[in-house]
Amino acid sequence: MQANIKSVIAGTAGHIDHGKTSLVKALTGIDADRLEEEKRRGITIDLGFAHATLPAPDGSSIRVGFVDVPGHERFVRNMLAGVGGIDIVLFIVAADESIKPQTREHFEICRLLAVPRGITVLTKADLVDADTLAVVRSEVEQFVRGSFLDAARSPIIAVSAHTGQGLDELKQAIAQIAHSAPPRSVDAVFRLPVDRVFSMIGFGTVVTGTLISGAVKKEDEVAALPGSLRARIRGIETHGEKEEVATAGQRTALNLVGISTEQIARGAVLTVPETLAVAAKFDAKISLLKDARSLKHRARVHLHSFTAETIAEVLLFEGKECAPGSDTYVHLKLAEPILILPGDRFIIRQFSPVVTIGGGVALDIFPWAKKQTPAQRAEFLKLMESGSQEETLLARVARKTSRGLSLAEAQHETGWTSKTIEAIAQKLVAANKLLRLGATLIAAAAFSETQASALALMKEFHDRNRLASGIGSEELREKLGLTAEVHTGMLDALKRAGKLDVAGDSVRLAGRSVQMDNVEAAAKKTIEDAFATAGLKVPALKEVLAGLAIDRVRAQKIVTLLLRDRVLIKITEDLVFHAKALDAMRAMLQECKAKSPKLDVGRFKEMTGISRKYAIPLLEWLDRERVTRRVGEERVIL
Ligand SMILES: Nc1nc2c(ncn2[C@@H]2O[C@H](COP(=O)(O)OP(=O)(O)OP(=O)(O)O)[C@@H](O)[C@H]2O)c(=O)[nH]1
Ligand SMILES: [Mg+2]
């Protein structure tokens, strides 16, 4: 492939029999009507494809892929599958018939899908005289006035596929427009909406489509959405030539390994695995055509996005209906999930009888419905419609408050490449609007609030639990409802600010320690003394606590403190020793070791003067502490 050759896609549009297929053939030499039925009936039923290389004004070449659509009103859905992703529309009006119903419908579809540019072609010029042609030209000029096809900015060219009149002028115009069109960004996630699936003997599954964004190369792994199928790309063809790479703006055929022709159909989208996510509902702005009926809340419509189509229920944010010729924000609930990204245009058609009634643009494919009021949502959607990438990413993160937005979620919500998300996030972090905690983005304001809530919660905790030295980190996280990443980030920030102390798993306000009254302090001393004087012949903890002047709950908390500070050591559920007594025992064992490292229960009992009841658990504890090691019936002192 000559990498420097620019590729664009031109699509036809217009009423049945107005000469679309004949024109494509006259321009490319290729008959895009490929079905036997099409040839027999002399009409186009499904999409047809052709290609040509045209000389550009600067002497270079331009490759034009043509998508030829059917004009018959019954096949508008096929037309819709072809028109998505075209760069240039050849808007066709037969000079002998002028504007007809599908002239209007196709025009509206192109306008609603925001096809960026086009050429109006008056076909069959050979069938009319100059006066008639002038009349039709002026009717058409009138029709497109003020639109993207306004004669002031886009040409109107009369041609005849039969005599060849106007074809050179048209080719030049196509090359000129293609040349001046801004190149598509390849720095976007690869997406190929599939419009055709067939199998080729010796190759297996082949799918074709207009590559609407990004790029793909041979041997890449691709995911087919919706669904979980994956495939490897064995071969690529664009415009009839084998290639190593295909990029946005090319008609592309991919030979897939791993997906059979039964497993994939028109409507699927091939994309990068583990990157984008399908949506079963999304928020959008829709516009209703002037001659459509008003659209009621909860109405069902046919929704077309690129090659996919499904049924959608339209939920209005306000009012009971949307009036013809107006636009409004809506929530759409889909019968089947589709891959649609913010900024993608779609068409809606009346449920029955099926006619095009409007279109829209997807704005929020993962709405945060429960947490936002309708007014907040409308505000949010307005920003999604017109805000910069920085503004929209910030708003997406901010609406998640203390939960934050992970980088993976950000990619699902925006459809941007991870590179783009990282770059924008970095700018926002540098401007102190966002923080990045691991793989989570959180708005600066939400992070401050999270810290304030944590401090307030800690204060309340200490006030209620004077005898507790701190709260368990996990308990705090659950109480605040934070994700692990935000929680860790919050603790780090407050530790750094000197506001929290974190010891192991326990979190407490800085400078805040256990607060005991006199009775509690006395009780603590009583417990400590009871164990200190007992040596290894310890009393039952229960009995010690029963003798105290305070209630069981507080007494238990004091024991917890003594255990935490390692004044007391718990050996089993019922056996607690003073640390000093255990230290003394260890010292004694070391002395014994000098005589003999062997230790049996008898020797241990003799040495310590304790009964079997204490000796066995103590010996087991010593094993666990690696002071002794059990060897058969005996132990060795280590
Ligand atoms: N005289 C004359 N006839 C034409 C011209 N272009 C097309 N036709 C005839 O018009 C008829 C319809 O042409 P197509 O090219 O099939 O029209 P189409 O717009 O593709 O029709 P659909 O795809 O079914 O919507 C055919 O009989 C063509 O031969 C032209 O420039 N001059
Ligand atoms: Mg045709």
Side-chain angles (χ1 to χ4, degrees):
M1 164 181 146
Q2 290 155 279
N4 54 346
I5 290 195
K6 189 169 182 179
S7 293
V8 295
I9 313 262
T12 58
H15 197 71
I16 184 165
D17 247 7
H18 276 200
K20 297 179 290 299
T21 306
S22 305
L23 180 66
V24 169
K25 187 166 184 197
L27 292 171
T28 65
I30 297 170
D31 183 0
D33 278 348
R34 59 200 155 78
L35 305 175
E36 188 275 323
E37 188 185 355
E38 290 176 324
K39 298 208 192 294
R40 184 161 41 78
R41 290 169 66 182
I43 60 164
T44 303
I45 294 169
D46 204 353
L47 301 173
F49 308 99
H51 50 86
T53 302
L54 300 178
D58 66 353
S60 67
S61 295
I62 287 191
R63 298 212 300 179
V64 187
F66 289 88
V67 178
D68 182 39
V69 307
H72 196 298
E73 64 172 319
R74 278 192 43 211
F75 307 132
V76 174
R77 53 192 289 244
N78 290 342
M79 179 271 180
L80 284 165
V83 72
I86 64 172
D87 300 292
I88 302 170
V89 63
L90 300 180
F91 179 53
I92 303 226
V93 184
D96 61 338
E97 288 201 340
S98 194
I99 294 155
K100 295 292 227 177
Q102 270 63 53
T103 317
R104 293 177 190 281
E105 187 169 10
H106 285 197
F107 171 79
E108 294 294 9
I109 287 169
C110 291
R111 195 178 57 74
L112 289 164
L113 291 178
V115 172
R117 55 195 86 74
I119 299 168
T120 303
V121 188
L122 305 179
T123 51
K124 308 194 187 184
D126 60 294
L127 293 184
V128 296
D129 58 26
D131 289 348
T132 312
L133 188 62
V135 170
V136 171
R137 181 186 287 268
S138 111
E139 281 174 1
V140 171
E141 261 179 32
Q142 191 68 30
F143 180 76
V144 298
R145 185 154 297 155
S147 78
F148 74 108
L149 289 176
D150 191 302
R153 53 180 291 237
S154 101
I156 299 181
I157 299 170
V159 303
S160 165
H162 284 192
T163 67
Q165 172 197 338
L167 290 179
D168 284 339
E169 192 192 341
L170 178 57
K171 284 183 191 171
Q172 273 172 29
I174 295 172
Q176 171 63 49
I177 289 193
H179 184 64
S180 57
R184 294 209 203 193
S185 159
V186 285
D187 184 24
V189 177
F190 158 70
R191 271 200 293 164
L192 182 103
V194 171
D195 53 33
R196 225 154 49 102
V197 176
F198 52 90
S199 81
M200 263 170 72
I201 295 166
F203 288 96
T205 307
V206 176
V207 301
T208 70
T210 297
L211 209 164
I212 56 169
S213 77
V216 70
K217 61 180 191 307
K218 247 168 99 167
E219 298 304 325
D220 275 355
E221 196 191 22
V222 293
L225 298 183
S228 54
L229 291 176
R230 299 282 175 85
R232 178 173 63 82
I233 295 176
R234 178 155 57 193
I236 300 179
E237 247 185 52
T238 66
H239 307 254
E241 283 175 44
K242 289 209 177 336
E243 305 287 358
E244 294 295 314
V245 178
T247 55
Q250 293 180 325
R251 283 293 311 165
T252 305
L254 300 178
N255 179 202
L256 301 180
V257 182
I259 295 185
S260 71
T261 50
E262 291 78 38
Q263 289 174 309
I264 188 164
R266 175 177 289 178
V269 181
L270 296 183
T271 185
V272 184
E274 313 286 357
T275 303
L276 304 177
V278 296
K281 55 189 185 207
F282 64 95
D283 285 352
K285 185 181 204 174
I286 58 162
S287 313
L288 272 197
L289 295 176
K290 282 197 195 70
D291 52 7
R293 278 195 242 149
S294 62
L295 189 66
K296 294 199 171 46
H297 179 58
R298 306 209 86 118
R300 291 203 299 164
V301 296
H302 299 274
L303 183 141
H304 296 255
S305 161
F306 294 104
T307 63
E309 63 168 292
T310 183
I311 290 165
E313 185 182 354
V314 183
L315 305 181
L316 302 174
F317 282 171
E318 49 187 58
K320 291 216 165 81
E321 55 181 46
C322 175
S326 70
D327 50 37
T328 185
Y329 293 124
V330 294
H331 178 66
L332 296 166
K333 272 191 181 162
L334 309 182
E336 305 282 345
I338 59 170
L339 179 63
I340 189 162
L341 297 182
D344 280 356
R345 303 271 167 167
F346 57 88
I347 292 294
I348 52 174
R349 308 192 80 210
Q350 189 167 275
F351 192 71
S352 171
V354 186
V355 287
T356 302
I357 52 172
V361 57
L363 296 172
D364 187 9
I365 52 175
F366 291 96
W368 198 227
K370 287 194 194 88
K371 308 272 175 159
Q372 286 180 310
T373 65
Q376 280 174 326
R377 259 168 102 180
E379 188 70 19
F380 182 81
L381 294 178
K382 211 161 144 191
L383 182 67
M384 292 304 122
E385 205 183 342
S386 52
S388 65
Q389 284 188 307
E390 269 135 84
E391 287 168 329
T392 57
L393 183 64
L394 183 60
R396 287 180 188 283
V397 175
R399 71 170 163 171
K400 292 291 168 93
T401 62
S402 64
R403 196 187 159 284
L405 188 72
S406 75
L407 293 171
E409 288 167 336
Q411 185 156 48
H412 289 171
E413 280 200 15
T414 60
W416 301 340
T417 61
S418 45
K419 208 171 111 198
T420 302
I421 293 169
E422 298 267 3
I424 292 167
Q426 209 174 341
K427 277 192 205 166
L428 290 165
V429 168
N432 292 324
K433 290 178 178 167
L434 278 193
L435 281 102
R436 186 173 166 168
L437 308 172
T440 299
L441 302 173
I442 183 167
F447 193 55
S448 306
E449 275 167 37
T450 304
Q451 294 179 46
S453 316
L455 291 176
L457 199 140
M458 287 305 302
K459 182 168 184 312
E460 201 196 313
F461 173 82
H462 281 302
D463 289 349
R464 280 204 198 172
N465 303 279
R466 288 178 303 105
L467 294 178
S469 57
I471 187 170
S473 175
E474 182 58 20
E475 190 185 342
L476 177 64
R477 187 188 72 74
E478 272 170 26
K479 283 207 159 99
L480 290 167
L482 299 178
T483 64
E485 259 173 341
V486 172
H487 182 61
T488 309
M490 180 274 293
L491 290 182
D492 285 349
L494 288 174
K495 240 173 17 186
R496 256 183 282 125
K499 292 188 172 160
L500 283 186
D501 286 337
V502 182
D505 185 41
S506 172
V507 183
R508 66 163 185 248
L509 281 178
R512 185 85 185 227
S513 56
V514 173
Q515 293 175 342
M516 281 187 197
D517 58 24
N518 290 340
V519 184
E520 287 158 354
K524 184 180 172 206
K525 188 159 185 324
T526 308
I527 301 170
E528 204 189 324
D529 288 351
F531 286 94
T533 51
L536 293 176
K537 289 178 197 139
V538 289
L541 181 59
K542 258 189 258 164
E543 278 161 29
V544 176
L545 299 191
L548 296 175
I550 56 170
D551 61 85
R552 262 198 79 78
V553 177
R554 280 197 292 165
Q556 193 54 56
K557 283 185 178 161
I558 292 170
V559 171
T560 306
L561 278 177
L562 287 165
L563 290 170
R564 186 207 66 187
D565 295 340
R566 301 193 64 77
V567 173
L568 298 184
I569 311 282
K570 195 183 247 185
I571 298 233
T572 67
E573 245 350 275
D574 315 310
L575 273 183
V576 174
F577 292 82
H578 198 282
K580 285 192 184 132
L582 294 176
D583 287 346
M585 178 183 70
R586 281 179 192 238
M588 212 191 298
L589 282 171
Q590 288 312 310
E591 272 174 37
C592 286
K593 188 184 166 187
K595 289 179 213 152
S596 158
K598 284 197 177 154
L599 184 72
D600 59 15
V601 180
R603 188 178 177 212
F604 184 61
K605 276 168 65 184
E606 201 175 297
M607 191 178 88
T608 54
I610 54 177
S611 68
R612 201 177 167 81
K613 179 176 127 194
Y614 297 127
I616 300 296
L618 270 175
L619 281 167
E620 282 167 1
W621 177 76
L622 286 167
D623 291 343
R624 287 199 300 278
E625 293 283 300
R626 307 210 189 293
V627 176
T628 55
R629 190 175 64 227
R630 193 164 179 160
V631 185
E633 280 306 292
E634 281 193 345
R635 284 182 168 77
V636 284
I637 306 168
L638 297 171

